[in-house]
């Protein structure tokens, strides 16, 4: 027999694994007893109400476990103990407080922090007390770290700054970003609406059939995106569709490859009127694979060590997307230029008024 407490978003429930339950063997009991703390698990069982109050969990029910899957194993020895971090500030010495801040992903799993935190990101580069520091151009990495902190769903909106020389009708150096990150239960497509969808390969074939040659493992440019939108409108009578399974080589290093073909990825873009408005994907949540892929993309893993370490403490499968507000408004209203829905647009040539 083995007991374990499962936690999600601050709530905990007591689980009992016993050979007296249907389908539970002694090997399974030993397996469950050996799972590292803070590992991510899926539990299937029967809920029951015990006769005596439960003191070790927030929910006053038991789960008699029938099946248990370890989705992602945490490292055997964690840098901080969640129970210690959950103690009141009066009990916490300065040294422990510093440790909690050093391993924030674990610290924000405590009940108090689950009720407190909201994410707010700024952007830029600066000298921070004698050492170089970089404020993110998007909340991407910190959204993922917050998912690792057991928030389940993370939503953020705020200014995004891009130092890029893009002199186009749809690019700005400053725009309003709407970002979402969500735990994945089964597959990254579970949150997609019932919208017209094509794989990237199918989109390339549509373009090829129309006489437009596109690199099957490359990306689409503005002209090919517009052409594909035109073809979709002519064939399906809609200007709103999803293109998914992009080539892995054209997506960020943290994108999850497709399980059946590593040349492609669990990623997607959403289009309106032949232009992309949303870009998203499932993220890599296995730290060893994440570090390997970052190095393959030419990234010094030492510069993102705290990000990669976040996944060593137990990380659920997750994914998300980003939306540029001004671009959505531009396309929805048919304005033709992204500067029109921006109150005071900033581009490579304009910094005033």
């Amino acid at each position: 027999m083995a007991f374990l407490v499962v936690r999600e978003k601050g709530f905990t429930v007591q689980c009992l694994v016993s050979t007296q339950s249907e389908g539970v063997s002694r090997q399974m009991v030993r397996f469950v007893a050996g799972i590292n703390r803070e590992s991510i698990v899926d539990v299937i069982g029967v809920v029951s109400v015990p006769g005596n109050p439960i003191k070790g969990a927030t929910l006053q029910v038991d789960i008699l476990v029938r099946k248990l899957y370890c989705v992602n194993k945490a490292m055997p020895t964690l840098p901080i103990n969640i129970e210690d971090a959950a103690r009141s500030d009066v009990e916490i010495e300065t040294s422990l407080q510093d440790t909690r801040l050093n391993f924030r992903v674990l610290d924000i799993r405590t009940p108090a922090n689950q009720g407190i935190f909201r994410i707010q990101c700024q952007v830029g580069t600066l000298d921070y007390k004698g050492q170089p520091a970089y404020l993110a151009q998007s909340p991407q990495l910190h959204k993922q770290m917050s998912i690792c902190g057991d928030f389940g769903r993370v939503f953020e909106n705020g200014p995004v700054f891009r130092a890029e020389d893009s002199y186009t009708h749809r690019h700005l150096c400053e725009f309003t970003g709407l970002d979402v990150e969500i735990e994945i239960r089964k597959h990254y497509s579970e949150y997609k609406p019932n919208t017209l969808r094509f794989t990237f390969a199918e989109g390339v074939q549509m373009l090829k059939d129309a006489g437009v040659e596109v690199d099957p493992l490359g990306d689409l440019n503005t002209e090919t995106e517009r052409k594909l939108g035109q073809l979709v409108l002519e064939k399906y009578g809609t200007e709103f569709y999803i293109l998914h399974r992009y080539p892995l080589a054209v997506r960020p290093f943290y994108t999850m490859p497709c399980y059946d073909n590593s040349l492609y990825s669990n990623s997607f873009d959403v289009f309106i009127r032949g232009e992309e408005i949303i870009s998203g994907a499932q993220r890599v949540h296995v730290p060893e694979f994440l570090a390997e892929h970052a190095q393959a993309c030419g990234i010094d893993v030492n510069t993102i060590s705290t990000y990669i370490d976040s996944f060593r403490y137990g990380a659920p499968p997750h994914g998300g997307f980003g939306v540029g507000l001004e671009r959505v408004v531009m396309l929805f209203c048919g304005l033709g230029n992204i500067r029109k829905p921006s109150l005071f647009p900033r581009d490579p040539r304009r910094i005033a008024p």
Side-chain angles (χ1 to χ4, degrees), residues 305-327:
S305 60
T306 54
Y307 165 69
I308 294 177
D309 287 345
S310 301
F311 300 93
R312 303 189 193 279
Y313 317 135
H318 61 281
F321 58 87
V323 186
L325 179 61
E326 289 86 351
R327 188 180 294 185

Side-chain angles (χ1 to χ4, degrees), residues 257 315 332:
F332 185 79

Side-chain angles (χ1 to χ4, degrees), residues 95-233:
S95 59
L96 179 56
Q97 181 70 68
D98 288 340
T99 302
R100 290 176 59 177
L101 295 177
N102 289 339
F103 301 98
R104 196 57 155 171
V105 167
L106 284 170
D107 182 45
I108 59 179
R109 296 180 186 180
T110 62
N113 284 339
Q114 283 290 308
I116 293 173
F117 287 106
R118 298 292 183 269
I119 297 175
Q120 189 174 31
C121 295
Q122 301 291 331
V123 179
T125 304
L126 69 155
D127 179 78
Y128 187 74
K129 298 186 182 299
Q131 58 181 334
Y134 302 89
L135 298 176
Q137 293 184 3
S138 82
Q140 174 59 50
L141 304 189
H142 291 90
K143 285 191 304 175
Q144 291 185 252
M145 293 168 73
S146 298
I147 292 293
C148 294
D150 196 25
F151 277 104
R153 297 186 176 196
V154 177
F155 305 90
E156 194 271 351
N157 67 283
V160 178
F161 301 90
R162 296 285 168 83
E164 57 182 349
D165 293 329
S166 296
Y167 302 88
T168 74
H169 73 287
R170 66 175 189 172
H171 287 95
L172 290 172
C173 291
E174 177 184 351
F175 62 91
T176 302
L178 311 176
D179 282 87
V180 177
E181 204 73 17
I182 305 175
E183 282 188 25
I184 293 174
R185 298 300 184 184
K186 294 182 179 180
H187 191 268
Y188 85 104
S189 66
E190 66 194 56
Y191 293 107
K192 294 181 185 177
N194 294 322
T195 302
L196 182 64
R197 288 191 291 179
F198 307 97
T199 65
F200 184 87
E202 290 170 338
V204 168
Q205 188 61 50
M206 288 179 65
L207 289 166
K208 186 176 181 180
D209 293 343
V212 180
E213 289 298 326
V214 178
D215 182 355
L217 295 178
D219 205 352
L220 302 182
N221 57 31
T222 301
E223 290 72 26
T224 51
E225 283 183 356
R226 284 179 169 174
K227 181 61 178 179
L228 182 58
Q230 176 188 338
L231 295 173
V232 171
L233 177 60

